[in-house]
Every structure is written in structure tokens, then in C-alpha cells.
Amino acid sequence: MRTTMTALAGALAAFGTLLATGTAALAAGADLGQAAQQATNWHAIVMFVIFVAGTLGITYWAAKRTKTAADFYAAGGGITGFQNGLAIAGDYMSAASFLGISALVYGSGYDGLIFSVGWLVGWPIILFLIAERLRNLGKYTFADVATYRLSRTPVRSFAATGALVVVIFYLIGQMVGAGQLIKLLFGMEYIYAVIIVGALMMIYVTFGGMVATTWVQIIKAALLLSGATVIAFGVMFQFNFSFEQLFARAIEVHPKHQAIMSPGTLVSNPIDAVSLGMAQMFGTAGLPHILMRFFTVPDAREARKSVFYATGFIGYFYILTFIIGFGAICLVATNPAYLDIVKGGLNLRGGNNMAAIHLSHAIGGDLFLGFISAVAFATILAVVSGLTLAGASAISHDLYASVFMHGKTTEGKEVTVSRYASLGLGVIAVLLGIVFEKQNVAFIVALTFSVAASANFPVLVLSMFWSGLTTRGAVIGGAIGLVSSVVLVVLSKTVWVQSFGYAEPIFPFAYPAIFSMPAAFFFTWLFSVLDNSPRAAKERAAFEAQSIRSETGLGAEGAAAH
């Protein structure tokens, strides 16, 4: 009973964290925005049922293999670099990437690539700075690395809080996006769509843990890459595989004409452009559900392979979204069957996020439309499963086992707490998805990356590379990054004006990372160098041993035997 109550308390703590910092979520965003419900798409429903049946079978298989904490959190460390790279790609390529970026390219042309390029260039940072050391120093979560030589209770409390804020913000966007997407693609009521997604993700995570989540992500990545490849191939076939012909036709039919081949229409303010780029680049290296994946491989070598393969898959995918966006300009915007006659212009039936979906119909008819629709839904399921597992791990491994129980618990109890936390997070995600249905939540992805870049990334990277880091500096500096990133978003035009109704924003820029991330680094450094306590001296002295292990892997966790 005590374990159950602790788990429920952890889930409630996660919800409390959201309420404490969640004012920003009033403007934060879903992937897809408001959508009009469409006619029932039976092809998509049948294919989605097939996908769900297959993944539930995988979950049943995974549940029998999930016996220890290492199995639940990290799939026993037995995932290969190639498999993990594909799973990371599946975890990272959200519906926002597939539908949102292609829609941005459809509306703005070349400038839509600013988002895909920004998210992609974060991966070299992970490859060269983080992956190897993370795998050698950690066990299940990135808090393991941050607390390797720092005080366990305060640093884990901060790390878990930062992870939960990122996870819950991201979950809001994914759940609202799921509901809107299913209204568009399946003709299903919003509330039922959100409940179905929540129920499935709870089943995947609660019973199958990381093993099931990994294979759901692998299958989803393979389906998404295959579907996007077919669409892009179909587009290029229409233009004799000539980019010159594709771009010339797009310039001809788009209302902006030659302007679609120039940057500056989406983000014209240079401070916002730099801030957005910082959030995307460094935020990727602070996402808890991405960092957690590096503990699923046997060693640091496979961790590096994971990043290499993931970068290749993700880069290839973003090239496809670029082709899909321009293809939609040429083949969808010129077909009245796909256009919203009432709104006119480039506006599409069901909203402009339907650009890739309508293009799939133009390329392959109703059957291919059903396949792409089911893949888009599977995409959200894979992402929310990874997020839920990361949030549950923060509650059970970081808070329950390390902070509340001071390490005096069993693996069995810890996994039980994680299962209850998964259920709690699933319920919270469904409720928030319903509550935020009518909100303009298109900003949440940028907010999530800003928080990850300002709170998680500075503490993680300094704990690995700077011998002078102390517990006091990490907690205070990280907290300043967390709070400032959220507060600045609340004071920006997106929230202060568009959601709260005030005439002028207090913070004049859209993205806070250019201010909040340097503030986190500065105050982490300042409070560390000012810390002359005996504990700080021990933490500095312990850096050499940490450095040896991070570079050699001596003493690192190995794969579990099955």
C-alpha cells in the first residue's frame, strides 16, 4: 500500500508541477491546431486497427521479458545501435514534423526548413559531446549522470522536476495534436480520440516498458519513412525527378511566387531566429525521453552508433518533408477538390496541416491515404509512449527510489511505482488533452525545447565537462534556467497578448532561449565558484574519477543477460 500511495503521490506531484509552471501552456501548443471533423475514413481505421493489434502483440511479448528494473527502464541494455537509432528516430519524428513542417513548406516555401534544420543540427552535439559519456556514467535517466559526484537529493529533485515539466508540456501538445489529427483523418470525435491514445500508451508503457516502447517506435519509424519515401518518389516522378522542374512549377503556382525560395518570412527578427535555433539545437540534448534511449544499448560504442543512425534517418526524413511540401504546392494547391473554397487562397479542406495527407491521396488514392493517415496516428502513439516512460522514470527512479526512499528500496517496488506513475501520467495526459482542446497550443514544441535547453542541458553538460560544478550551482542555476524560460514565454506576445488579451507583451521576443540559457550557465558557474563548503570541495575532487569512467567506460552498466 505504501508503494501504491507513493506512486500516486508522484503522479500528483507531476500534475502539481504542471499547475505551478503551466500558465505558459495556455498558449503552448499542439502540433496541429484546431481542425474540422471529416468524414469517416474506413481505410485509415482498418490499417490503424492492424497496427494496434500488432503492437499489442509486441507488448504481450515484451511483458514476459520485462522482469527487472533494467528491463523496464532500458530494455536490459540489449538494443543494438542500429535498432536504437531507428527507435530514436521514431521517438523524435512527431506528427508535428511530418504534417507541420510539410505544411510550413507548403505555406512559406524554403523558409519552412528553418524548423527541420534547427532540430536536425542538435544531433552532432549529442554525438560528439554527450552520447558516450552519458552511456558510461548513467544507468536509467540523465539525473544519474548529474548526480554521479553531486548530492543526490537536491540534484535529483531538480532534474526530475525539469524532466516532468518538459514531458508534461510535450504530452499536452501530442495529446491535443492526436485529437485534432484523428478528427481530420478518421472522422472520430475529439474526446474519443484522446481517450484511445491515452489508453494505448498506458498499455504499452505499463506492461511492456522500454522493450515494447522501443519496438513500437521502430515499427512506426519504418512505416513513416516508407510512407514519406513513396510520397516523395511520387512527387518527383511527376516532374521527371528534376528539382528544377518542381521548384519552377511551385514558383509559378504559389501566390508568393519567387519569395518562396527566400528565407525570412517565418522568423524575420534576428534575435528570435537565433533564440529559436538555440532552443532547437541545445534543447534536443536536454529532452529526457531522448537521453533515456542511450541507456538501452550495451556500451558507449553502440550509443555512438545510435546517434549516427538516428541522424541519418532523421536527416533523410526532413529532406522528404521538404519535397512533400513543394509537391503539395504543385499538386494539391492546383486541385480544387482539396481546397477550402470558402476561405480561398491556399487554404485546404481540414486545415493546412492536411497538405501531406491530401498529397498522399493525389499520389496514391484512397488506400494510400488510409495508410498515411494510420501512420500519422501511429507516430503520435510512439512519441507519447516514449514521453510517458521518461516521466514515469523520473517519478519512480529519481524521486521515489532516490529522494523519498534514499535508495533503500527494491527493484520490484521501484518498477511497481513506475507502472502506477505511467497510469497516473496517462490519465493526466488525457484530462489535459480534453481541457486544452480549444486552446491555441501551437507554441508548446518551441516552449518544450526552450525549457530543455535552459534547464536540463546546462546542468547535464557542465556535470560532464566542468570540474568546478557543485550541487549548489547546479540546482540554483538550473532552476533559474527553468523558471526564466517559462516566465519569458508567459510574458511574450504569444501568451500575454494572444491568450491573456493584453495590448502589448512585456517580453518583446517570441523565443526565450537566447536569454534563459546563458542565464542558466552564468548562475550555475557563479554559485559554483562561490561555493566554498566542504561538500563542494569533495565534489570538485571527485571529477577526475568521473572523467576517467566517462571516457573509458570502466565500471559502466552493462547489458542484462536474458
Side-chain angles (χ1 to χ4, degrees), residues 346-496:
L346 290 178
N347 289 290
L348 301 175
R349 286 192 298 108
N352 281 358
N353 284 294
M354 287 287 283
I357 303 300
H358 287 319
L359 181 60
S360 69
H361 184 266
I363 295 294
D366 290 338
L367 189 62
F368 189 53
L369 169 67
F371 172 76
I372 293 297
S373 300
V375 167
F377 193 13
T379 294
I380 287 181
L381 277 179
V383 174
V384 296
S385 297
L387 286 168
T388 303
L389 184 57
S393 301
I395 292 171
S396 60
H397 181 63
D398 295 330
L399 293 179
Y400 168 74
S402 299
V403 176
F404 299 152
M405 302 302 294
H406 305 289
K408 298 176 182 178
T409 186
T410 64
E411 281 196 352
K413 289 182 178 180
E414 187 177 329
V415 172
T416 300
V417 170
S418 194
R419 294 186 197 277
Y420 280 114
S422 301
L423 294 173
L425 285 170
V427 171
I428 290 170
V430 169
L431 293 176
L432 291 175
I434 295 171
V435 168
F436 283 83
E437 175 188 1
K438 303 297 183 183
Q439 294 292 334
N440 172 24
V441 282
F443 201 65
I444 197 165
V445 173
L447 170 64
T448 303
F449 277 71
S450 295
V451 172
S454 304
N456 298 345
F457 176 73
V459 172
L460 178 63
V461 75
L462 288 177
S463 69
M464 291 179 177
F465 293 99
W466 186 38
S467 62
L469 182 68
T470 68
T471 296
R472 184 182 301 170
V475 173
I476 297 177
I480 289 174
L482 173 63
V483 173
S484 63
S485 60
V486 174
V487 169
L488 291 178
V489 169
V490 172
L491 299 179
S492 70
K493 180 180 178 180
T494 307
V495 182
W496 200 252

Side-chain angles (χ1 to χ4, degrees), residues 9 63 67 87 111 138 143 157 180 190 203 238 283 322 363 391 428 452 480 525 541:
K67 300 175 182 178
D111 219 24
S157 298
Q180 302 296 350
Y190 176 90
I203 292 172
Q238 298 283 336
F322 184 64
I363 295 294
I428 290 170
I480 289 174
W525 168 81

Side-chain angles (χ1 to χ4, degrees), residues 82-239:
F82 177 81
Q83 292 169 340
N84 200 47
L86 195 54
I88 290 172
D91 207 358
Y92 196 69
M93 298 182 303
S94 68
S97 299
F98 178 48
L99 302 182
I101 292 177
S102 57
L104 285 174
V105 175
Y106 171 78
S108 301
Y110 171 89
D111 219 24
L113 277 180
I114 187 173
F115 289 91
S116 58
V117 171
W119 283 321
L120 179 62
V121 296
W123 288 100
I125 296 173
I126 297 177
L127 175 61
F128 293 111
L129 290 183
I130 291 178
E132 181 176 353
R133 286 174 169 82
L134 188 77
R135 179 62 188 84
N136 286 338
L137 294 173
K139 189 175 182 181
Y140 302 138
T141 68
F142 83 92
D144 293 332
V145 178
T147 57
Y148 187 87
R149 61 187 172 90
L150 303 182
S151 181
R152 179 174 57 191
T153 299
V155 176
R156 279 196 187 274
S157 298
F158 159 75
T161 301
L164 287 170
V165 170
V166 170
V167 164
I168 295 178
F169 278 158
Y170 221 144
L171 275 176
I172 294 173
Q174 294 297 324
M175 295 302 290
V176 177
Q180 302 296 350
L181 179 66
I182 295 166
K183 279 172 62 177
L184 280 170
L185 305 183
F186 292 78
M188 187 182 296
E189 291 286 347
Y190 176 90
I191 188 171
Y192 299 132
V194 171
I195 291 173
I196 289 173
V197 172
L200 287 172
M201 79 178 188
M202 284 188 276
I203 292 172
Y204 293 151
V205 176
T206 303
F207 295 102
M210 182 57 87
V211 178
T213 300
T214 296
W215 284 102
V216 168
Q217 291 165 344
I218 289 173
I219 293 171
K220 166 257 172 156
L223 291 174
L224 182 59
L225 289 170
S226 300
T229 298
V230 172
I231 297 177
F233 182 87
V235 168
M236 296 308 297
F237 179 79
Q238 298 283 336
F239 295 93

Side-chain angles (χ1 to χ4, degrees), residues 193-334:
V194 171
I195 291 173
I196 289 173
V197 172
L200 287 172
M201 79 178 188
M202 284 188 276
I203 292 172
Y204 293 151
V205 176
T206 303
F207 295 102
M210 182 57 87
V211 178
T213 300
T214 296
W215 284 102
V216 168
Q217 291 165 344
I218 289 173
I219 293 171
K220 166 257 172 156
L223 291 174
L224 182 59
L225 289 170
S226 300
T229 298
V230 172
I231 297 177
F233 182 87
V235 168
M236 296 308 297
F237 179 79
Q238 298 283 336
F239 295 93
N240 300 314
F241 296 95
S242 168
F243 282 102
E244 184 178 356
Q245 291 184 28
L246 173 65
F247 295 149
R249 177 58 176 164
I251 292 170
E252 177 186 346
V253 303
H254 200 283
K256 297 179 181 179
H257 299 297
Q258 190 67 39
I260 64 171
M261 301 306 294
S262 303
T265 57
L266 282 177
V267 183
S268 56
N269 185 310
I271 293 180
D272 275 334
V274 173
S275 190
L276 174 62
M278 290 176 62
Q280 292 174 320
M281 288 175 60
F282 301 108
T284 300
L287 294 175
H289 64 297
I290 297 297
L291 296 175
M292 191 176 181
R293 292 227 54 91
F294 295 108
F295 304 119
T296 64
V297 291
D299 51 41
R301 183 169 180 264
E302 293 299 310
R304 291 193 301 273
K305 283 185 179 180
S306 298
V307 186
F308 175 78
Y309 287 123
T311 305
F313 289 131
I314 295 168
Y316 172 68
F317 172 74
Y318 283 139
I319 292 173
L320 297 180
T321 60
F322 184 64
I323 297 172
I324 290 169
F326 273 94
I329 295 173
C330 299
L331 303 178
V332 174
T334 56

